[in-house]
């Protein structure tokens, strides 16, 4: 198995206060955010189309760190579908990625167990992709982040390969989260870059949990986000829930834009009261992310782009829901 070591964390040489300060300053420009939307049940063509119509190629010539949703090994949409992972990797290779490395920390289950249950070791070997099990990193390979005005008591630890990577691709699912998270999409995906010892504080901070989730995202900026919404949990989650078909794949680079479009899709499908009865931009994960300047701040700043008539029709419906809140 190839384990990527390229670009070992230069930030490790930095003063911790300087690192925390730099983390809080990682903010995309506040401008229109494009979110591609493809109405399809075909992952092979859907992933390619969703990525290509964005008109960007952040992976060309770069070592890409790929962060999936392997919180558990439960079937999609509880975890990233293996077909999504494979098709995304193949497309990133065609886009000219210098190398691709999957990085993940599962939980509560052991990460190695989840990777084995999902067959990820075999996929990596077959596709010549690196793999970093964050849970197996040494104590020296974790960096403490203490953002200013954080709801974390004493900050949180982030896997150093994440902080060192210049090109991070994330792929998330479309689902609700019954354990106070409310929903799990691109913002909550970032919980998997933190150390497992931080989970006790997160999971017992019921009043601040959603804000703390958003605050983790200050540690990095994704270069590309892909959300597989072919099926979704509209209630329950994150491991098991009430499932509905959405037949949609979306992509972009703005986590707030991705998650608010995702929430609009959940509203269209018909979800639980925590989704249906709360304005999209008033969801605490979203509201805190907006406060932190992690992306766009209002629905009008989102441009949903498509490449066919069916997708355009659905995009118009989703944009109307998004604008209504």
């Amino acid at each position: 198995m190839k384990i990527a070591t390229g670009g070992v964390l230069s930030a490790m040489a930095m003063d911790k206060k300087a690192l925390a300060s730099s983390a809080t300053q990682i903010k995309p420009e506040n401008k229109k955010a494009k979110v591609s939307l493809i109405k399809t049940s075909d992952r092979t063509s859907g992933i390619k189309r969703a990525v290509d119509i964005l008109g960007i190629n952040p992976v060309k010539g770069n070592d890409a760190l790929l962060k999936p949703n392997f919180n558990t090994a439960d079937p999609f949409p509880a975890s990233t579908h293996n077909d999504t992972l494979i098709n995304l990797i193949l497309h990133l290779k065609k886009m000219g990625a210098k190398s691709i490395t999957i990085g993940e920390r599962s939980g509560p289950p052991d990460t190695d167990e989840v990777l084995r249950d999902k067959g990820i070791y075999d996929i990596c070997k077959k596709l010549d992709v690196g793999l970093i099990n964050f849970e197996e990193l040494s104590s020296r390979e974790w960096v403490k982040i203490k953002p200013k005005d954080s709801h974390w008591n004493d900050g949180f630890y982030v896997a150093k390969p994440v902080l060192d990577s210049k090109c991070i691709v994330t792929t998330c699912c479309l689902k609700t989260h019954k354990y106070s998270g409310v929903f799990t999409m691109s913002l909550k995906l970032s919980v998997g870059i933190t150390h497992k010892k931080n989970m006790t504080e997160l999971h017992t901070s019921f009043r601040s949990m959603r804000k703390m989730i958003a605050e983790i995202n200050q540690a990095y900026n994704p270069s590309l986000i892909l959300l597989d919404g072919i099926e979704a949990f509209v209630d329950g989650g994150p491991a098991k829930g009430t499932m509905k078909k959405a037949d949609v794949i979306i992509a972009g680079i703005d986590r707030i834009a991705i998650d608010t479009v995702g929430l609009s899709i959940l509203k269209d499908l018909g979800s639980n009261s925590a989704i249906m009865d709360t304005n999209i931009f008033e969801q605490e994960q979203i509201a805190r992310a907006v406060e932190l300047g992690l992306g766009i701040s209002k629905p009008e700043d989102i441009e949903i782009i498509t490449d066919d008539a069916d997708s355009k029709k659905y995009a118009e419906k989703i944009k109307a829901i998004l604008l209504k809140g």
Side-chain angles (χ1 to χ4, degrees), residues 32-265:
K32 288 277 186 179
K34 289 183 179 181
V35 174
S36 61
L37 184 152
I38 305 298
K39 198 79 171 77
T40 184
S41 60
D42 182 354
R43 289 183 171 89
T44 302
S45 64
I47 289 170
K48 180 183 185 302
R49 290 164 59 196
V51 173
D52 286 353
I53 65 173
L54 289 172
I56 60 173
N57 189 348
V59 304
K60 187 175 182 179
N62 287 321
D63 298 308
L65 181 65
L66 175 55
K67 169 67 175 72
N69 183 338
F70 293 158
N71 193 51
T72 67
D74 293 281
F76 177 84
S79 66
T80 299
H81 199 293
N82 282 10
D83 289 347
T84 302
L85 186 72
I86 291 168
N87 279 288
L88 180 57
I89 289 170
L90 291 174
H91 194 53
L92 295 177
K93 284 176 175 281
K94 288 181 180 179
M95 291 170 68
K98 182 179 178 182
S99 70
I100 301 170
T101 301
I102 296 171
E104 178 65 303
R105 190 272 297 161
S106 306
D110 178 78
T111 305
D112 178 68
E113 179 182 321
V114 171
L115 295 173
R116 291 186 185 282
D117 287 348
K118 285 189 65 65
I120 303 305
Y121 289 107
D122 291 337
I123 289 173
C124 289
K125 183 177 181 179
K126 182 178 180 180
L127 299 181
D128 189 29
V129 168
L131 179 63
I132 302 176
N133 177 346
F134 295 156
E135 196 169 356
E136 294 180 350
L137 294 176
S138 69
S139 59
R140 294 177 299 173
E141 296 173 296
W142 291 93
V143 178
K144 189 174 186 178
I145 302 292
K146 291 186 67 175
K148 186 179 179 181
D149 300 324
S150 171
H151 290 80
W152 291 86
N153 290 329
D154 192 34
F156 49 88
Y157 286 86
V158 172
K160 71 179 185 179
V162 173
L163 296 175
D164 193 44
S165 179
K166 295 180 180 178
C167 180
I168 299 176
V169 178
T170 66
T171 182
C172 50
C173 304
L174 179 63
K175 56 183 179 176
T176 51
H177 190 287
K178 67 180 178 180
Y179 301 113
S180 300
V182 180
F183 61 91
T184 295
M185 294 180 222
S186 69
L187 287 166
K188 196 169 187 305
L189 189 72
S190 300
V191 173
I193 71 171
T194 63
H195 200 286
K196 227 170 190 175
K197 66 183 179 182
N198 293 127
M199 293 304 94
T200 299
E201 181 185 355
L202 180 67
H203 291 148
T204 57
S205 302
F206 299 110
R207 293 184 178 180
S208 302
M209 181 187 294
R210 294 168 291 279
K211 295 175 182 177
M212 293 163 72
I213 290 167
E215 288 164 1
I216 294 170
N217 287 269
Q218 294 173 97
Y220 76 103
N221 258 353
S223 299
L224 178 65
I225 306 162
L226 180 90
L227 184 149
D228 180 347
I230 289 178
E231 292 175 306
F233 284 154
V234 296
D235 195 18
K240 302 182 187 302
T242 303
M243 192 159 60
K244 288 187 179 180
K245 284 189 69 65
D247 286 336
V248 65
I249 293 174
I250 66 175
I253 61 172
D254 187 308
R255 286 162 287 190
I256 297 174
I258 289 287
D259 284 14
T260 53
V261 170
L263 284 165
S264 300
I265 295 170

